Amino acid sequence: TAPTMTTEAAAFLVARPGEHYPDDVLSDPQVAKAAIRDACLASHPDRPGGSADAFHQIQTARAVLASHHGVSL
């Protein structure tokens, strides 16, 4: 199925103020990759405070941003 998230929403979801900003996530694939990695670690269901739903949303954001940047993230 096709992702149902806009690129802006995906960038906002993985961004963390002070570390990764949405505009940077949209403009630089390396920043996007780092932001996604950090978001995955924070939301992973096996970690305290993580959840399967949040992790699934991060994976959807990864697919949207990978398509936006034209690279694998």
Side-chain angles (χ1 to χ4, degrees), residues 51-70:
S51 78
D53 183 51
F55 190 74
H56 176 71
Q57 287 200 15
I58 298 298
Q59 295 306 313
T60 300
R62 177 195 306 259
V64 170
L65 292 169
S67 177
H68 172 75
H69 287 295

Side-chain angles (χ1 to χ4, degrees), residues 25-68:
V25 170
L26 289 173
S27 64
D28 186 342
Q30 294 303 324
V31 172
K33 187 173 186 173
I36 290 165
R37 182 185 60 241
D38 291 347
C40 282
L41 288 172
S43 66
H44 196 280
D46 291 343
R47 297 192 54 130
S51 78
D53 183 51
F55 190 74
H56 176 71
Q57 287 200 15
I58 298 298
Q59 295 306 313
T60 300
R62 177 195 306 259
V64 170
L65 292 169
S67 177
H68 172 75

